């Protein structure tokens, strides 16, 4: 290795990213049974999502779960903060429906 | 005692360079001053100049840079380490005032302008700022390994959109930041989808990588700010499985200042400003916001415009007011409009000689965007090239008249739109439909003018989900 290469100063660039440190969050434990639990069903306001969720509601109710239905104002934007809080406070689990 | 590297010695202080005729001219005056009192001479290019005087070597330009010397010769009077008075160039009266003496340079002309200081020479200015200044750059430094190729290193770290990037060195980023008066630490926007606060500095870094010149930066900043509003909804545009991306339309004198092309091949390649400004926005979205294809960017197909799509409207030869004026901006204001759009689709009409006929050709293409049965969902930009625009101008059709006629012509019989109609399962639900349904919401057709002089063509750029449920085009004023 030549001396020239060894003494070449380090080339430095600036980080173009958001330099985010991702916080790993522990997942809530999966419920052993849904019997008696309140399950949220979130319709993202996309066409025919309701058909899928209606079916899911029947299946969940038959298995003893209570079902609450929620709806995002538009599928193109994240769910509003208040809606997320409401679901978290009222439900043990949530199913978000994507459909077309 | 030798002067401290950064503090001024008391007495008279002169900054000179040999490569300056005015400095040569005042050399006898410097001898005169040296003989009469305390004089320190800093020479920027030759410690041997001027002869006969003790000269301090400032070939590093540190003292010149720290004292903000803009031209040589410059003479200062310093008391207690503080500058009291300054004369720039040669002016006998000013020099005598600074020196507190009369009879300086009796054989010299009264006045002679100086030369540029080497410390403000563009060749050195950024280096000096890096070496001696508080550049204030906050971004994490990434040191490349000795054997790493710098272009490959940027690919390896995931920063690239697929094309090579210009390595964002401190020097290049500082030079980029010269393009704006905004501070590097100012927050421009919160970038989806990771919702990261993005500073002017981060935009500058990505603009360097995109290949922008510093003078493009204000436009990129405005585009980033607009794209990250709730109104434009960059998050949704990323997450959608549809093909669209941000399309920038630039209006105002800035198009000329940046040398943007609005003529031949206006929507195509070959112009640095249009190619790199749109790219810089997309690199910010990718790198700062985390909007990477296959991750939050879920486009099934995408489109080549997602490398960056920036259009400069041809205002000078347009028979109509520019898009910016349609959206409420004053003519002459520098603006960028951000539209969620896919690639352009060309409309050919070489036979129409009446505006009504050409409007019908436009409408036929506009009605087909995405699907002939997709109504009231998508906006569109109609790009009218000069030969087509001329036909409307000669018939006295202003832009509002053309837009109104297009809306009328894009009223589609409801029966054609029902599911199953025309043998196509796609369509609107139900058995009944209104007699007519508009293809576009009111104001959903935006008309711009650009392109080469020859060619009876125009183009349509289809939008993404328009309005409050999706994305609303947004116009931003470009700030210096």
């Amino acid at each position: 290795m030549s001396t020239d290469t060894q003494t070449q100063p380090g080339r430095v660039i600036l980080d173009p990213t958001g330099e985010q440190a991702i916080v790993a969050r522990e997942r809530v434990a999966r419920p052993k049974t849904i019997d008696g639990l309140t399950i949220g069903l979130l319709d993202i306001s996309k066409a025919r999502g309701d058909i899928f969720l209606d079916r899911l509601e029947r299946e969940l109710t038959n298995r003893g779960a209570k079902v609450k239905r929620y709806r995002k104002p538009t599928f193109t934007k994240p769910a509003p903060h208040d809606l997320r809080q409401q679901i978290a406070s009222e439900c043990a689990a949530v199913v978000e429906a994507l459909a077309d | 005692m030798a002067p401290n590297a950064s503090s001024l010695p008391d007495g008279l202080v002169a900054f000179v360079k040999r490569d300056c005729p005015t400095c040569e001219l005042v050399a006898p005056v410097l001898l005169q001053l040296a003989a009469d009192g305390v004089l320190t001479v800093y020479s920027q290019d030759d410690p041997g100049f001027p002869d006969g005087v003790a000269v301090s070597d400032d070939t590093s330009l540190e003292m010149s840079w720290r004292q903000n010397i803009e031209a040589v010769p410059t003479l200062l009077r310093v008391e207690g380490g503080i500058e009291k008075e300054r004369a720039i160039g040669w002016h006998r009266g000013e020099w005598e005032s600074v020196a507190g003496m009369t009879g300086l340079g009796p054989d010299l002309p009264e006045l002679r302008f100086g030369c540029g200081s080497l410390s403000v020479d563009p060749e050195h200015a950024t280096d000096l700022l890096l070496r001696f200044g508080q550049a204030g750059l906050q971004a994490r430094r990434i040191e490349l390994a000795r054997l790493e190729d710098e272009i490959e290193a940027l690919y390896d770290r995931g920063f690239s959109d697929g094309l090579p990037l210009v390595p964002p060195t401190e020097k290049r980023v500082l030079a980029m930041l010269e393009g704006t008066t905004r501070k590097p630490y100012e927050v421009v926007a919160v970038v989806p989808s990771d919702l990261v606060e993005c500073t002017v500095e981060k935009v500058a870094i990505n603009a360097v990588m995109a290949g922008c010149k510093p003078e493009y930066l204000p436009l990129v900043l405005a585009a980033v700010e607009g794209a990250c509003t709730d109104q434009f909804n960059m998050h949704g545009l990323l997450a959608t499985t549809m093909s669209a991306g941000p399309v920038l339309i630039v209006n105002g004198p800035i198009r000329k200042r940046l040398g943007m092309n609005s003529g031949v091949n206006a929507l195509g390649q070959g112009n640095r400003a249009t190619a790199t400004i749109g790219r810089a926005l997309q690199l910010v979205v990718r790198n700062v916001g985390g909007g990477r294809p296959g991750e939050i960017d879920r486009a099934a197909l995408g489109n080549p415009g997602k490398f960056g799509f920036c259009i400069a409207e041809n205002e000078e030869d347009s028979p109509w007011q520019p898009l910016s004026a349609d959206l409420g901006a004053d003519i002459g204001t520098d603006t960028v409009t951000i539209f969620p759009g896919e690639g352009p689709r060309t409309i050919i009409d070489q036979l129409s000689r009446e505006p009504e006929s050409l409007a019908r050709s436009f409408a036929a293409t506009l009605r087909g965007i995405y699907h002939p049965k997709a109504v009231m969902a998508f906006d569109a930009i109609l790009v009218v090239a000069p030969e087509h625009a001329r036909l409307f101008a000669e018939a006295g059709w202003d832009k509002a008249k053309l837009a109104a006629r297009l809306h009328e012509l894009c009223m589609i019989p409801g029966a054609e739109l029902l599911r199953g109609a025309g043998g196509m399962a796609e369509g609107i639900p139900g058995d009944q439909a209104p007699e007519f349904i508009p293809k576009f919401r009111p104001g959903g057709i935006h008309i711009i003018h650009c392109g080469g002089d020859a060619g009876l063509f125009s183009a349509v750029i289809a939008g993404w989900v328009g309005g409050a449920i999706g994305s609303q085009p947004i116009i931003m004023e470009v700030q210096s």
Side-chain angles (χ1 to χ4, degrees):
Chain A
M1 207 175 283
S2 78
T3 311
D4 274 359
T5 331
Q6 284 174 340
T7 54
Q8 184 188 345
R11 293 154 304 158
V12 173
I13 59 166
L14 297 177
D15 188 343
T17 73
E19 299 186 38
Q20 291 293 92
I22 305 299
V23 180
R25 292 187 187 158
E26 203 165 326
R27 288 189 179 184
V28 175
R30 194 181 175 87
K32 290 198 166 53
T33 170
I34 58 169
D35 193 13
L37 294 184
T38 301
I39 308 292
L41 298 182
L42 175 60
D43 186 336
I44 70 163
S45 294
K46 199 141 203 207
R48 295 157 61 87
D50 54 340
I51 296 170
F52 174 56
L53 287 176
D54 288 347
R55 180 75 178 270
L56 210 54
E57 181 171 358
R58 282 202 302 277
E59 297 291 332
L60 290 167
T61 309
N62 288 343
R63 286 166 169 76
K66 280 179 246 148
V67 168
K68 285 196 159 205
R69 299 285 289 260
Y70 304 91
R71 190 177 169 88
K72 273 169 53 167
T74 170
F75 59 88
T76 71
K77 295 181 183 180
H81 189 69
D82 287 351
L83 179 61
R84 298 204 299 268
Q85 286 294 324
Q86 188 190 353
I87 294 171
S89 64
E90 294 177 354
C91 304
V94 64
V95 178
E96 187 168 345
L98 267 173
D100 249 327
Chain B
M1 204 173 83
N4 179 291
S6 59
S7 68
L8 279 171
D10 278 352
L12 297 176
V13 181
F15 290 85
V16 297
K17 64 180 184 187
R18 181 184 285 280
D19 183 30
C20 164
T22 309
C23 294
E24 295 268 13
L25 182 80
V26 302
V29 181
L30 295 173
L31 287 173
Q32 201 178 343
L33 291 172
D36 281 21
V38 183
L39 173 71
T40 308
V41 179
Y42 288 98
S43 176
Q44 295 185 338
D45 59 352
D46 179 0
F49 172 78
D51 289 335
V53 181
V55 174
S56 298
D57 183 348
D58 196 36
T59 48
S60 73
L61 301 174
E62 179 175 4
M63 189 56 105
S64 299
W65 186 85
R66 289 193 186 284
Q67 302 308 326
N68 296 317
I69 304 301
E70 294 183 345
V72 287
T74 286
L75 183 70
L76 315 178
R77 188 177 75 252
V78 180
E79 296 170 12
I82 294 166
E83 177 186 334
K84 295 294 182 186
E85 199 172 349
R86 171 178 298 216
I88 300 168
W90 164 251
H91 181 277
R92 181 180 294 106
E94 289 183 5
W95 275 57
E96 288 180 349
S97 168
V98 172
M101 297 168 60
T102 53
L104 291 182
D107 304 328
L108 268 55
E110 184 70 19
L111 170 72
R112 188 63 61 87
F113 294 113
C115 304
S117 167
L118 284 177
S119 55
V120 294
D121 187 319
E123 195 181 334
H124 306 300
T126 312
D127 275 338
L128 294 171
L129 182 59
L130 269 178
R131 279 166 62 197
F132 307 126
Q134 299 294 318
L137 297 179
Q138 301 295 318
R140 186 171 66 102
R141 268 56 171 181
I142 299 172
E143 187 164 353
L144 304 184
R146 196 160 36 82
L147 296 180
E148 260 185 310
D149 177 89
E150 53 189 5
I151 304 296
E152 295 297 334
L154 297 175
Y155 277 114
D156 293 344
R157 285 162 177 79
F159 302 152
S160 168
D161 53 9
L163 292 170
L165 298 167
V166 176
T169 59
E170 290 174 302
K171 185 174 174 178
R172 289 190 178 118
V173 173
L174 280 176
M176 181 60 65
L177 285 164
E178 291 291 309
T180 179
T181 56
R182 299 176 71 171
K183 301 287 182 229
Y185 53 77
E186 276 182 45
V187 173
V188 179
V190 176
V191 186
S193 59
D194 289 349
L195 300 177
V196 177
E197 284 193 345
C198 178
T199 58
V200 171
E201 176 183 342
K202 286 290 183 187
V203 177
I205 295 170
N206 283 280
V208 166
M209 295 201 305
C212 290
K213 288 181 166 185
E215 52 265 42
Y216 306 169
L217 184 61
L219 223 166
V220 179
L221 289 167
V224 169
E225 194 174 345
C228 296
T229 55
D230 185 62
Q231 177 182 336
F232 184 76
N233 189 14
M234 190 67 223
H235 174 99
L237 190 56
L238 270 171
T240 183
T241 47
M242 288 184 68
S243 299
V247 179
L248 309 178
I249 301 110
V250 182
N251 286 112
I254 195 168
R255 296 164 302 116
K256 293 292 174 194
R257 287 205 305 280
L258 304 188
M260 303 181 87
N261 173 37
S262 57
V264 171
N265 202 41
L267 308 185
Q269 83 289 11
N271 179 267
R272 181 171 177 181
T274 53
T276 61
I277 289 167
R279 188 186 187 203
L281 168 62
Q282 285 290 67
L283 288 175
V284 169
V285 168
R286 175 190 179 88
N287 289 314
V288 181
R292 285 177 287 271
E295 297 177 29
I296 194 71
D297 184 341
R298 307 303 302 178
L301 294 170
N303 83 84
K306 290 177 76 177
F307 278 105
F309 194 172
C310 180
I311 305 167
E313 188 168 4
N314 179 346
E315 298 179 24
E316 288 71 16
D317 305 317
S318 176
W320 299 316
Q321 67 174 17
L323 175 69
S324 54
D326 297 339
L327 298 175
D330 292 334
I331 292 175
T333 308
D334 292 328
T335 63
V336 57
T337 300
I338 308 145
F339 177 86
E342 56 162 25
R345 161 70 51 87
T346 302
I347 306 169
I348 301 176
D349 184 330
Q350 302 185 313
L351 298 181
S352 286
R353 295 295 178 266
E354 300 297 329
E356 172 66 18
S357 169
L358 186 51
R360 285 174 179 270
S361 287
F362 288 175
T365 305
L366 284 163
R367 284 170 60 163
I369 65 166
Y370 289 117
H371 193 285
K373 292 183 182 180
V375 288
M376 290 293 285
F378 308 105
D379 293 355
I381 295 174
L382 176 66
V383 184
V384 183
E387 283 207 307
H388 275 169
R390 198 174 305 133
L391 186 60
F392 293 106
E394 286 168 356
W397 282 40
D398 63 13
K399 201 195 274 187
K401 181 169 181 180
L402 174 58
R405 186 63 185 134
L406 290 173
H407 277 285
E408 288 169 5
L409 292 168
C410 288
M411 294 294 290
I412 305 174
E416 293 180 13
L417 301 174
L418 290 172
R419 288 181 182 169
M424 290 176 279
E426 190 55 77
I428 60 176
D431 302 324
Q432 298 280 320
E435 193 179 358
F436 287 96
I437 298 178
K439 173 77 178 183
F440 297 98
R441 62 180 180 140
I445 302 173
H446 307 278
I447 301 173
I448 66 172
H449 174 263
C450 64
D453 286 336
L456 283 155
F457 308 120
S458 288
V460 168
I461 298 169
W464 181 59
V465 183
I469 63 159
S471 173
Q472 179 70 19
I474 186 166
I475 181 166
M476 303 294 296
E477 191 171 331
V478 180
Q479 311 282 353
S480 64

